[in-house]
Amino acid sequence: MDLSVPVFSSSDEVLKKLQEKWSSVKKQPYPAMYSSVFGGIILDPALMVIPIDDHMVHRGHGVFDTAMLMDGHLYELDTHLDRFLRSASQAKISSPFPRSTLRTILIQMTSASQCRKGSLRYWLSAGPGDFLLSPSGCSEPAFYAVVIDDDYSQCKDGVKVITSTVPMKSPLFATMKNVNYLPNVLSKMEAEEKGTFASIWVDDEGYIAEGPNVNVAFITKDKELVLPSFDKILGGCTAKRLLALAPKLVENGRLGSVSTRDITLGEAKDSAEMMFIGSGLPILPIIEWDEQHVGDGMVGELTMALSDLLWEDMLSGPETQRVRVPYV
């Protein structure tokens, strides 16, 4: 079969081809992007690209984080931004801008997007430069960000999960939010192939770790909220916010206690309720694990009470948690 590959000799031809992809899209899912390579905010989706020789692309040398956008406010932006810069330090990536400038860029980009509900994802990369292993040939690090328009809602239906057989990351990489998510992807695919929502990792010592991109939590039969310790897994910003809010349910007698500690697989499977915790959920009830019911196999009352706490915090929490976007 003969194949004639087109050759684009001008930027106008390439741009026209890129724009064809988006011409039939009714609603733009990415209303704005920022690129330090371009030095500005991009509203044309056809130009929301990064260089092929960026070391984040071909070597995975990059870190990222996410903040949710709810009712024109960025939820836990500063908490996520702090973790973002800690991850960058661990990955030996410097920022092209000080923290205050990164924050300003993210807020201005969200304002330019006119999006009021969705999420904000951003990356620091070793930068473009060459295709070698070392980033020494990269002229400077790169900062990218994108607004994702998403009408998400509070999760109220339970899901099924399995125990993952995909090896989990070592603590060094698990505690750093880097772009190497292949183990996470394979873990998620493994679950989907078995007709379930996601997988859960158990470490070499037999303790519960985390899900593919979420933390996991349990309500024991003694009404204790327990999350796995964060020393070998990613310290979820939403999980830590839940730990700060959950004592309200202890005060009114609905919960017995709140803690983080090592949890064995057997103890976890004997829990009364189980849930995933993550930015975009913020809580997702789990009703079945490895084809066995969690508790009575129904969405737990305390799980939804905790979900309500987080959802209310996203909607009308303190200014320290919600950054208002000044839309033009």
Side-chain angles (χ1 to χ4, degrees):
M1 179 179 178
D2 293 333
L3 176 65
S4 178
V5 180
V7 177
F8 302 112
S9 58
S10 72
S11 58
D12 289 341
E13 290 178 288
V14 175
L15 179 58
K16 181 180 179 181
K17 194 68 178 178
L18 288 170
Q19 289 175 330
E20 286 178 5
K21 171 186 175 182
W22 297 101
S23 61
S24 61
V25 176
K26 293 182 179 180
K27 183 179 180 181
Q28 160 62 295
Y30 317 122
M33 174 190 177
Y34 174 85
S35 168
S36 64
V37 174
F38 292 158
I41 297 167
I42 305 156
L43 300 181
D44 185 345
L47 296 176
M48 295 180 185
V49 295
I50 62 176
I52 189 64
D53 65 345
D54 191 299
H55 273 231
M56 183 169 70
V57 175
H58 62 86
R59 296 300 179 191
H61 195 182
V63 298
F64 78 102
D65 221 301
T66 305
M68 300 307 294
L69 177 62
M70 170 69 86
D71 193 27
H73 291 75
L74 289 165
Y75 184 62
E76 289 204 301
L77 174 62
D78 291 301
T79 303
H80 283 274
L81 193 53
D82 288 341
R83 183 176 66 178
F84 179 60
L85 292 173
R86 288 196 301 270
S87 294
S89 177
Q90 288 178 280
K92 298 184 178 181
I93 300 172
S94 59
S95 172
F97 311 113
R99 183 191 185 282
S100 59
T101 302
L102 295 176
R103 188 179 189 275
T104 298
I105 289 171
L106 293 173
I107 293 173
Q108 288 188 11
M109 179 190 65
T110 307
S111 176
S113 77
Q114 294 298 307
C115 180
R116 293 180 177 272
K117 189 175 185 182
S119 61
L120 185 64
R121 187 160 296 187
Y122 39 98
W123 297 261
L124 268 176
S125 160
D130 55 37
F131 290 95
L132 301 179
L133 189 60
S134 169
S136 59
C138 301
S139 59
E140 64 177 351
F143 177 59
Y144 307 104
V146 66
V147 175
I148 303 169
D149 190 339
D150 182 18
D151 188 21
Y152 60 93
S153 59
Q154 187 177 11
C155 301
K156 297 185 178 182
D157 295 326
V159 298
K160 302 176 182 180
V161 300
I162 61 170
T163 302
S164 181
T165 64
V166 177
M168 63 181 292
K169 299 175 186 176
S170 67
L172 172 64
F173 298 108
T175 56
M176 178 200 317
K177 200 168 178 66
N178 63 88
V179 298
N180 178 14
Y181 259 47
L182 184 56
N184 311 63
V185 170
L186 294 177
S187 175
K188 177 71 170 178
M189 292 177 68
E190 176 186 37
E192 291 177 340
E193 289 165 0
K194 294 186 178 181
T196 60
F197 177 78
S199 300
I200 292 174
W201 274 307
V202 179
D203 67 23
D204 293 339
E205 297 179 87
Y207 295 118
I208 302 301
E210 59 187 342
N213 62 342
V214 284
N215 290 107
V216 62
F218 305 90
I219 304 290
T220 70
K221 292 176 179 176
D222 293 328
K223 295 188 177 182
E224 175 191 15
L225 172 64
V226 186
L227 278 73
S229 302
F230 298 128
D231 53 344
K232 295 181 181 179
I233 60 175
L234 187 69
C237 296
T238 308
K240 290 180 178 179
R241 183 60 182 160
L242 178 65
L243 289 169
L245 293 171
K248 293 180 180 179
L249 297 186
V250 177
E251 293 171 5
N252 64 25
R254 299 184 70 182
L255 270 180
S257 63
V258 178
S259 66
T260 60
R261 58 178 172 82
D262 292 335
I263 309 165
T264 65
L265 179 60
E267 181 185 6
K269 287 196 171 184
D270 191 46
S271 61
E273 300 180 32
M274 180 178 175
M275 69 205 80
F276 279 138
I277 307 170
S279 296
L281 300 174
I283 283 181
L284 178 61
I286 298 172
I287 58 173
E288 184 179 297
W289 188 359
D290 290 336
E291 300 184 338
Q292 295 182 356
H293 285 164
V294 175
D296 60 7
M298 305 293 287
V299 173
E301 179 183 341
L302 288 173
T303 296
M304 290 313 303
L306 291 167
S307 178
D308 289 342
L309 279 178
L310 275 172
W311 195 254
E312 179 61 29
D313 198 54
M314 293 176 71
L315 284 170
S316 56
E319 292 184 2
T320 53
Q321 302 299 320
R322 301 169 72 247
V323 176
R324 186 181 67 83
V325 177
Y327 294 96
V328 178

